[in-house]
Amino acid sequence: MAETTIPPDTPVREPGTASGRRPTPVRLRHRTGSTAGSGRMAGLLVSPTLLVLTIVVLYPTLMALRQSLYGPKGLDAKTGFISTSEPFVGLRNYADVFGAAGERFWNAFWNTTFFTVVTVGLETVIGVAMALIMHKAFRGRALVRAGILVPWAVPTAISGLLWRWIFNSNGIANAVLGHQILWTTEGFHAKIAVIVAEVWKTAPFIGLLVLAGLQVIPKEVYEAARIDGAGALRQFWHITLPLVKPALLVAVLFRCLDALRMFDLPYILVGAQKNSVETLSMLAQNEASNVRFGPASAYAVILFLYVLLIALAFVRLLGADLVGDRDGRKACTSRRRWIPAPRRAEAAA
């Protein structure tokens, strides 16, 4: 084999180049200017919403927190004179909640919790049933949908007056039951009246949101389950309920936040200062109407924290699906690792 001598002046070509010259490195330009411009544009677009939230939510919350640190005007125990300004009492309004004066607060707190748990539970069951009925294809479905959604469209004040007429001593409820029950007085029957009226009013709201979730489920899923021999109950439990879970949780979250702030329905249906149905919102309003703004603000702040904790708990619950997806992807990845080499080759082919 003959030897080939390369002259010393001949440039050596590197692989992947057309000549012996080395390729000039390409510098990547950082788009810092465009990123900063996008950030400023995003800030400008969000600023009106943040301004409205600051005026409507943040400022009243801070003012209520500040007002809760002051006591009502009245006789000053130290000087013996009537105070013309609200004295600073610190956390005494919050400490009174755990004292002898907190009996009314805890009664309102447990009433609020009881109404929230019972009404939201009943509304969830009835709302899902309404959604399943409205989702079925049958003659007159539009009329049924309109009839189901009418209670939700009625204003709460009008609904309270309507049910007050129904639960009157000579109303339709006593005529149907055949007993004389004073629904709008003190007692457990007053709670039942509020629960019935609240469930009738807001169960269609959950049904509407669940119906939106049902309409995005492909029909092929039910056809495949039907071919596999799954009955209606198994289809509901293993297909419908898991797929409408996000919409259902959002509906339950909205209803919980609304029920915790319940005020107008029991106020109109039963009345104010009724221990059986008094909620935290009614208690705060009653204290404010009696010019006791300090305790009223303290009750409002506690209610705000209560609603915030419930909202955070639901957000964590809604985020559980994301964690589950990650776990599912990890499980799929781990299962792929256990696939033998021949199967991998077949899959690649």
Side-chain angles (χ1 to χ4, degrees):
M1 185 174 181
E3 296 182 358
T4 304
T5 304
I6 301 175
D9 297 335
T10 305
V12 180
R13 297 180 180 180
E14 293 182 1
T17 61
S19 62
R21 299 177 181 177
R22 293 185 178 181
T24 304
V26 179
R27 295 182 180 180
L28 298 177
R29 297 180 180 177
H30 298 283
R31 300 180 178 179
T32 55
S34 61
T35 304
S38 301
R40 286 193 295 268
M41 179 59 68
L44 290 175
L45 294 176
V46 176
S47 57
T49 303
L50 295 179
L51 179 62
V52 172
L53 290 177
T54 301
I55 297 175
V56 176
V57 178
L58 183 60
Y59 179 74
T61 303
L62 295 178
M63 290 302 297
L65 182 61
R66 175 184 176 276
Q67 187 66 38
S68 65
L69 303 178
Y70 291 85
K73 300 178 183 179
L75 184 64
D76 191 351
K78 295 181 180 180
T79 62
F81 295 98
I82 297 177
S83 176
T84 58
S85 61
E86 297 177 346
F88 180 80
V89 296
L91 299 177
R92 192 178 69 184
N93 291 326
Y94 297 96
D96 291 341
V97 170
F98 302 96
E103 181 179 357
R104 187 180 177 187
F105 167 81
W106 289 111
N107 175 69
F109 178 83
W110 292 120
N111 285 340
T112 303
T113 306
F114 175 77
F115 285 140
T116 301
V117 173
V118 175
T119 56
V120 174
L122 292 175
E123 289 163 9
T124 302
V125 176
I126 298 175
V128 171
M130 289 180 175
L132 293 175
I133 294 174
M134 291 186 291
H135 186 62
K136 293 293 183 181
F138 57 89
R139 183 176 297 178
R141 182 175 64 174
L143 183 61
V144 173
R145 287 184 176 182
I148 289 177
L149 297 177
V150 161
W152 180 54
V154 175
T156 306
I158 304 301
S159 176
L161 292 175
L162 171 65
W163 283 99
R164 187 173 184 178
W165 176 71
I166 293 175
F167 286 117
N168 194 14
S169 58
N170 298 323
I172 301 175
N174 288 337
V176 172
L177 295 176
H179 296 283
Q180 193 72 13
I181 301 176
L182 301 178
W183 298 96
T184 57
T185 58
E186 290 283 1
F188 188 74
H189 45 269
K191 287 186 172 65
I192 296 178
V194 173
I195 291 172
V196 171
E198 180 72 9
V199 171
W200 177 85
K201 172 73 173 63
T202 54
F205 173 75
I206 294 183
L208 184 63
L209 293 185
V210 174
L211 177 63
L214 287 174
Q215 291 180 344
V216 299
I217 301 177
K219 296 181 180 179
E220 293 78 6
V221 178
Y222 292 101
E223 293 176 358
R226 199 177 301 111
I227 293 174
D228 291 340
L233 185 59
R234 295 191 62 183
Q235 291 180 23
F236 171 77
W237 190 257
H238 295 285
I239 297 177
T240 304
L241 201 57
L243 293 180
V244 301
K245 179 183 176 182
L248 182 60
L249 288 177
V250 170
V252 173
L253 171 61
F254 287 166
R255 279 302 308 133
C256 282
L257 300 184
D258 195 20
L260 288 172
R261 298 179 287 106
M262 184 184 300
F263 170 79
D264 42 2
L265 184 63
Y267 188 87
I268 296 175
L269 178 59
V270 181
Q273 300 184 14
K274 297 292 182 67
N275 293 330
S276 301
V277 297
E278 188 174 45
T279 61
L280 287 176
S281 297
M282 297 173 65
L283 177 59
Q285 186 273 340
N286 182 257
E287 291 291 321
S289 63
N290 291 325
V291 201
R292 294 173 52 86
F293 298 110
S297 300
Y299 298 149
V301 170
I302 294 175
L303 178 59
F304 171 77
L305 295 177
Y306 190 24
V307 173
L308 180 63
L309 291 177
I310 298 298
L312 291 178
F314 267 91
V315 169
R316 295 284 296 181
L317 182 61
L318 290 172
D321 291 337
L322 300 177
V323 178
D325 292 341
R326 288 197 212 104
D327 295 340
R329 286 195 295 269
K330 291 180 181 179
C332 293
T333 306
S334 62
R335 284 196 292 269
R336 292 194 194 102
R337 292 175 183 174
W338 288 98
I339 298 177
R343 294 187 178 178
R344 292 179 185 172
E346 294 175 2

